[in-house]
Amino acid sequence: MAQVYDHGGGVRSIQVPIPDNPLGHTLVYVVDTDRGPVLIDTGWDDPASWDTLAEGLAACGTAPADIHGVVITHHHPDHHGLSGKVREASGAWIAMHAADAAIVRRTRTTQPERWFTYMAAKLTAAGAPDAHVAPLRTARRPRTLPGFSPAAPDREIVPGDLLDLPGRRLRAIWTPGHTPGHVCLHLEEDHPARLPGHGRLFSGDHLLPRITPHIGLYEDPDDTTVTDPLGDYLASLERVGRLTPAEILPAHQHTFTDAPARVSELLTHHETRLTDLLTLLATPLTPWQLAERMEWNRPWEQIPYGSRNIAIAEAEAHVRRLVKLGRAEAVAGSEPVTYVAV
């Protein structure tokens, strides 16, 4: 049976499962509007997940065919995966920030082999051993895998604007870092239980009660711009903390209060991690070598293949922040590139 929770004030959540993932589920929010229910995120594209979403909507007194619109916090498949099926069932619009919409368009038009070639080149440049890179060079995967054919959004979420949800005040807050176009959604209405603070915040993956969101690299293979996703994330955290919402409704785990305290914890976490990396970079290291030495939730030897790729991106995102701050630099002429503290 679908797990449904009534948050009051015309807001409910449905736990939509993520297959074979330690996160367990995505919290899909159902927001009542004067034109019908609107979903915030939709969950993973899987038959069991779709069945759970439909059961949850029935428990809320509605159905997929009744959905008026879909608001996506970010493009990841555990958030955007079922959006296309919802639109097919209902004709609902799908809204997304332009930066993530660009990633969706690029993903839809780029052959999977192009991505594997790009990933292999990036990992090689980061110092990954040949044994790790080899599977990407021979990969030929179908486009039916989750994330390769995401639904194209038909509305743009504009930062700072109120979304077109009749009878509700839901304002978009741009919070890049986890993805370039991640948005939080500030429900500028009195809390139904009169908790102190300013409305409620649908925080997506930006602000979670016990998890530090992954900060990786989302780049166009044809664009040479060097991004600073961790810098973007830290600035976005401070922006959300200043909102002082009464309650945070995240996409995973559970709702919580005291956003400024959680923001402070996450800022401290990343500052500590950057300080630890500077200690490691007393000796020049590649991003791969750095990731091997960083502290994760399990020893490096126990981290599976795909998660190692995520770890490399996280390590590089932190190194870029140190370079941006003038606390580290690339060693001239090193190949693969190594970084050292300055």
Side-chain angles (χ1 to χ4, degrees):
M1 292 294 293
Q3 297 295 310
V4 178
Y5 185 79
D6 189 345
H7 299 273
V11 176
R12 300 171 182 85
S13 63
I14 304 168
Q15 292 186 4
V16 177
I18 311 172
D20 303 318
N21 189 295
L23 280 174
H25 60 264
T26 300
L27 291 170
V28 173
Y29 291 95
V30 185
V31 180
D32 294 339
T33 80
D34 291 346
R35 291 185 188 165
V38 168
L39 301 185
I40 297 178
D41 292 336
T42 57
W44 190 271
D45 185 4
D46 177 79
S49 302
W50 172 254
D51 290 345
T52 301
L53 178 62
E55 290 171 8
L57 290 172
C60 294
T62 187
D66 299 329
I67 300 303
H68 172 61
V70 175
V71 182
I72 298 300
T73 61
H74 61 295
H75 72 86
H76 286 167
D78 56 324
H79 297 257
H80 182 43
L82 287 171
S83 301
K85 284 187 170 62
V86 171
R87 182 163 59 190
E88 289 171 7
S90 63
W93 47 260
I94 301 173
M96 183 183 291
H97 185 280
D100 272 22
I103 293 174
V104 167
R105 288 194 298 271
R106 194 165 69 233
T107 301
R108 288 171 59 87
T109 57
T110 302
Q111 292 298 316
E113 290 75 14
R114 174 72 175 94
W115 287 112
F116 297 132
T117 299
Y118 174 68
M119 289 168 60
K122 289 285 290 183
L123 286 165
T124 299
D130 287 341
H132 183 86
V133 179
L136 292 171
R137 296 195 177 110
T138 58
R140 294 293 183 272
R141 302 187 187 183
R143 214 172 240 288
T144 54
L145 285 174
F148 273 121
S149 298
D154 41 53
R155 289 192 182 185
E156 181 179 333
I157 296 176
V158 179
D161 281 6
L162 287 171
L163 276 73
D164 183 19
L165 273 61
R168 310 307 298 248
R169 288 187 59 84
L170 189 67
R171 191 175 304 276
I173 311 297
W174 185 35
T175 51
H178 184 59
T179 72
H182 190 291
V183 293
C184 292
L185 301 154
H186 191 200
L187 191 59
E188 299 177 340
E189 302 170 8
D190 290 340
H191 191 281
R194 302 298 179 185
L195 295 181
H198 301 96
R200 291 182 280 181
L201 185 74
F202 298 99
S203 64
D205 280 1
H206 184 68
L207 198 61
L208 302 169
R210 297 195 308 272
I211 298 173
T212 303
H214 166 62
I215 308 301
L217 307 177
Y218 289 91
E219 297 168 338
D220 186 336
D222 301 316
D223 187 349
T224 59
T225 303
V226 178
T227 60
D228 179 21
L230 180 56
D232 293 338
Y233 178 68
L234 298 176
S236 300
L237 273 180
E238 294 179 339
R239 189 180 313 130
V240 164
R242 290 192 293 268
L243 290 175
T244 60
E247 187 177 27
I248 300 90
L249 285 69
H252 303 289
Q253 299 187 314
H254 55 80
T255 62
F256 61 105
T257 58
D258 202 347
R262 183 59 180 145
V263 165
S264 179
E265 290 174 356
L266 289 167
L267 291 172
T268 299
H269 164 80
H270 283 289
E271 185 56 40
T272 299
R273 170 154 276 196
L274 290 171
T275 300
D276 291 343
L277 294 193
L278 283 174
T279 300
L280 292 173
L281 290 174
T283 301
L285 297 172
T286 65
W288 176 276
Q289 292 168 331
L290 193 59
E292 286 181 309
R293 292 159 173 78
M294 289 171 67
E295 184 177 338
W296 306 104
N297 60 0
R298 69 190 94 173
W300 182 256
E301 297 74 23
Q302 298 177 17
I303 297 178
Y305 181 89
S307 296
R308 287 191 179 191
N309 293 338
I310 293 172
I312 299 304
E314 181 107 9
E316 188 166 346
H318 280 74
V319 168
R320 288 189 185 187
R321 176 94 289 247
L322 290 173
V323 171
K324 184 89 170 180
L325 294 171
R327 298 161 74 182
E329 64 183 10
V331 176
S334 59
E335 188 177 347
V337 62
T338 59
Y339 295 88
V340 65
V342 295

